[in-house]
């Protein structure tokens, strides 16, 4: 009797397992289409790449010039983001006790560059620091400083779009860190600055590293704000993304080679970070 009673239930249990462990076919179909939308353009890029000429294309003087400029400005932008972003992340994490309007305004100010079209960011920088800008006019009249269409403008544009990546990475690390160590250090007489340097920073070091890598990658791939605020002067403001865009009009093979280089950097960053510093990303 026991066997007869158990056997009809076994298929039901297997059906429950299938329904919970798998996906309904419409969900699986739409997920496959979504994955194809993300992957197929990159597959096409790799498939159409001129692999036989890739070395010669990447060794061109214009490509190397853009590569050196991009690496230099991205490193400088990452350094500026570290100096500015870590304190801003601490402020954002500690703002949880603030009144709601102030807390929301602060978070919105940090988040806006993530959702703002980069070209709009470039226009905003131009209106701020251009020759007739809110601050640019005074800088030119008093100190003779011109910011737009210089290498410094490239760095500023990259900082504007990349800073939120570092801020949110560090803020997440701060929120998940155990603050009892900070409280213990303060109880033992450490000043706030000492607690920040010797306790807080070591606690969130993985988040800082992850944010710095993401920040560097975002700065390296910045296009819209850079071309609007800094232009496209060879050796001065023409970074890899801008060079790739311009090459697409005259030399598609060179454009593809530059795109592959940027793709390789992005994939390398994902493989480097994985689940060690980015929750939910596993490999």
């Amino acid at each position: 009797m026991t066997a007869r009673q158990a056997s009809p239930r076994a298929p039901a249990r297997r059906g429950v397992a299938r329904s919970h462990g798998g996906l309904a076919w419409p969900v699986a179909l739409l997920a496959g289409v979504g994955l194809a939308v993300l992957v197929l353009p990159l597959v096409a890029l790799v498939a159409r790449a001129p692999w036989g000429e890739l070395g010669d294309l990447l060794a061109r003087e214009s490509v190397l010039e853009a590569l050196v400029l991009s690496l230099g400005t991205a490193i400088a932008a990452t350094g500026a983001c570290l100096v500015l972003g870590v304190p801003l992340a601490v402020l954002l994490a500690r703002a949880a006790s603030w009144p709601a309007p102030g807390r929301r305004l602060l978070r919105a100010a940090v988040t806006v560059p993530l959702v703002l079209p980069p070209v709009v960011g470039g226009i905003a920088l131009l209106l701020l620091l251009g020759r007739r800008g809110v601050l640019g006019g005074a800088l030119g009249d008093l100190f003779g400083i011109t910011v737009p269409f210089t290498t410094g403008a490239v760095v500023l544009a990259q900082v504007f779009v990349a800073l939120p990546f570092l801020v949110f990475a560090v803020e997440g690390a701060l929120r998940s860190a155990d603050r009892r160590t900070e409280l213990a250090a303060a109880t033992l007489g450490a000043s706030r600055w000492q607690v920040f340097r010797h306790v807080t920073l070591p606690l969130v070091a993985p988040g800082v590293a992850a944010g710095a890598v993401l920040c560097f990658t975002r700065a390296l791939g910045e296009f819209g704000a850079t071309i609007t605020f800094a232009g496209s002067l060879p050796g001065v403001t023409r970074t890899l993304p801008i060079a790739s865009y311009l090459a697409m009009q005259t030399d598609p093979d060179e454009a593809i080679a530059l795109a592959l280089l940027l793709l390789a950097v992005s994939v390398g960053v994902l493989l480097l970070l994985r689940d060690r510093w980015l929750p939910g990303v596993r490999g």
Side-chain angles (χ1 to χ4, degrees):
M1 273 308 273
T2 305
R4 288 198 194 106
Q5 292 174 352
S7 58
R9 294 177 183 174
R13 280 198 290 268
R14 285 196 297 269
V16 171
R18 283 196 298 269
S19 64
H20 286 281
L23 293 174
W25 72 264
V27 177
L29 177 62
L30 293 174
V33 173
L35 184 62
V37 169
L38 297 176
V39 173
L40 286 181
L42 303 181
V43 172
L45 175 63
V46 174
R48 295 295 299 273
W51 294 105
E53 305 173 6
L54 194 60
D56 294 335
L57 290 170
L58 294 178
R60 290 181 178 178
E61 183 179 354
S62 59
V63 174
L64 294 177
E65 193 175 62
L67 176 61
V68 171
L69 177 65
S70 294
L71 291 175
T73 54
I75 291 172
T78 303
C81 288
L82 283 169
V83 173
L84 302 174
V86 174
L88 183 54
V90 175
L91 177 64
L92 197 61
R94 302 295 186 257
S97 59
W98 290 13
R103 183 175 68 249
R104 290 171 182 170
L105 284 174
L106 176 62
R107 183 166 295 277
V110 177
T111 308
V112 161
L114 290 177
V115 298
L116 195 69
V119 173
V120 177
I123 294 173
L125 288 170
L126 198 59
L127 293 176
L128 176 68
L129 297 170
R131 292 182 179 179
R132 298 182 181 179
V134 176
L135 296 180
L139 288 174
D141 294 338
L142 297 176
F143 306 103
I145 297 176
T146 302
V147 179
F149 309 107
T150 64
T151 304
V154 176
V155 176
L156 284 175
Q158 292 173 344
V159 169
F160 179 81
V161 299
L163 184 58
F165 288 87
L166 183 99
V167 171
F168 287 127
V170 177
E171 187 212 1
L174 284 167
R175 289 185 178 275
S176 61
D178 188 354
R179 294 199 62 194
R180 288 179 294 182
T181 309
E182 294 177 320
L183 296 175
T187 303
L188 293 174
S191 66
R192 292 182 179 180
W193 176 241
Q194 290 173 326
V195 171
F196 175 75
R197 283 189 305 160
H198 300 294
V199 179
T200 304
L201 283 181
L203 281 175
V204 300
V208 174
V213 175
L214 289 172
C215 185
F216 173 80
T217 308
R218 181 64 186 89
L220 192 65
E222 163 51 30
F223 173 78
T226 303
I227 198 170
T228 306
F229 182 50
S232 176
L233 303 175
V236 180
T237 64
R238 184 172 295 176
T239 57
L240 278 176
I242 297 175
S244 179
Y245 172 76
L246 295 176
M248 198 64 193
Q249 304 172 31
T250 56
D251 190 347
D253 286 344
E254 181 178 323
I256 294 172
L258 291 170
L260 279 174
L261 182 58
L262 290 169
L263 176 62
V265 172
S266 301
V267 173
V269 167
L270 290 178
L271 294 177
L272 174 66
L273 294 179
R274 299 195 305 174
D275 59 336
R276 291 177 294 175
W277 294 331
L278 292 183
V281 180
R282 301 186 178 276

